[in-house]
């Protein structure tokens, strides 16, 4: 290996000097050898009416376009969601309050699953202690099942506390 490297020398990509590129005294003022330099070579970049080319936000020749600038600003800032089968239906979600600290997600799932298919159970827990904070969200596949569960479970006694069940408010 040393024999192969014996006749090799270090060559800067910017000025072709005998030093590393990172140590080049001209690294901030010159482009690497063989690449265009200065504004004279940048005249061809951009649209015919002076706009930057697609993805051209500045002097660089990058083709990256930030998401908010894609499609010529159409729908900019709308926060498109991926959707799909994992999209949550907030209309079929119940907010359960006054939940015991001793409650577990599986307990809530078993209790509410008799009204219909439960798609999601979220029990808020304290990070340090791991105990429930006192509220949970139960999502059903069908809104009618959620309405039935809300009607029957509101006021239900669970682990020495009386549950308060209502439809969750839409998130903003």
């Amino acid at each position: 290996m040393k024999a192969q490297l014996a006749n090799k020398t270090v060559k800067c990509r910017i000025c072709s000097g005998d030093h590393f590129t990172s140590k080049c005294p001209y690294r901030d003022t010159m482009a690497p050898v063989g690449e265009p330099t200065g504004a004279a070579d940048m005249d061809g970049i951009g649209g015919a009416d002076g706009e930057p080319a697609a993805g051209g936000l500045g002097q660089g020749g990058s083709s990256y376009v930030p998401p908010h600038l894609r499609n010529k600003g159409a729908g900019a800032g709308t926060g498109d969601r991926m959707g799909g089968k994992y999209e949550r239906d907030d209309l079929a979600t119940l907010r359960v309050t006054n939940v015991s600290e001793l409650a577990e997600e599986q307990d809530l799932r078993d209790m509410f699953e008799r009204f219909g298919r439960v798609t999601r159970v979220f029990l808020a827990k304290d990070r340090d202690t791991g105990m429930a904070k006192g509220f949970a969200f139960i999502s059903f596949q069908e809104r009618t099942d959620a309405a039935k569960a809300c009607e029957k479970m509101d006021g239900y006694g669970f682990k020495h506390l009386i549950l308060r069940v209502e439809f969750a408010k839409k998130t903003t």
Side-chain angles (χ1 to χ4, degrees), residues 62-82:
S62 173
S63 63
Y64 174 74
V65 180
H68 70 281
L69 294 178
R70 294 179 188 161
N71 298 331
K72 303 250 185 209
T78 59
D80 295 332
R81 294 184 178 201
M82 291 180 61

Side-chain angles (χ1 to χ4, degrees), residues 74-155:
T78 59
D80 295 332
R81 294 184 178 201
M82 291 180 61
K85 68 179 183 177
Y86 298 109
E87 186 72 18
R88 189 170 70 230
D89 180 16
D90 287 331
L91 295 176
T93 300
L94 297 177
R95 182 172 148 241
V96 183
T97 54
N98 205 25
V99 177
S100 171
E101 292 178 328
L102 307 173
E104 295 291 328
E105 282 185 17
Q106 192 59 45
D107 296 338
L108 293 171
R109 182 177 295 278
D110 293 341
M111 201 167 36
F112 281 88
E113 216 154 43
R114 64 183 180 191
F115 299 103
R117 177 153 157 60
V118 174
T119 57
R120 177 179 150 258
V121 175
F122 172 76
L123 177 63
K125 292 187 175 186
D126 186 89
R127 289 183 190 188
D128 298 329
T129 64
M131 298 180 82
K133 286 186 173 182
F135 67 95
F137 290 96
I138 316 287
S139 296
F140 285 87
Q141 190 168 359
E142 301 291 329
R143 183 171 169 77
T144 55
D145 296 337
K148 191 172 19 169
C150 182
E151 179 185 329
K152 299 284 185 187
M153 296 301 289
D154 192 27

Side-chain angles (χ1 to χ4, degrees), residues 151-170:
E151 179 185 329
K152 299 284 185 187
M153 296 301 289
D154 192 27
Y156 181 80
F158 175 67
K159 295 205 180 192
H160 75 273
L161 291 175
I162 297 172
L163 298 179
R164 174 85 173 107
V165 181
E166 59 192 1
F167 277 96
K169 309 264 188 305
K170 190 77 170 163

Side-chain angles (χ1 to χ4, degrees), residues 14-26:
I14 295 174
C15 67
S16 299
D18 59 347
H19 52 265
F20 289 104
T21 304
S22 62
K23 304 289 184 195
C24 183
Y26 304 108

Side-chain angles (χ1 to χ4, degrees), residues 43-64:
D43 289 341
I45 296 177
D49 54 351
E51 292 181 27
L57 295 177
Q59 295 294 325
S62 173
S63 63
Y64 174 74

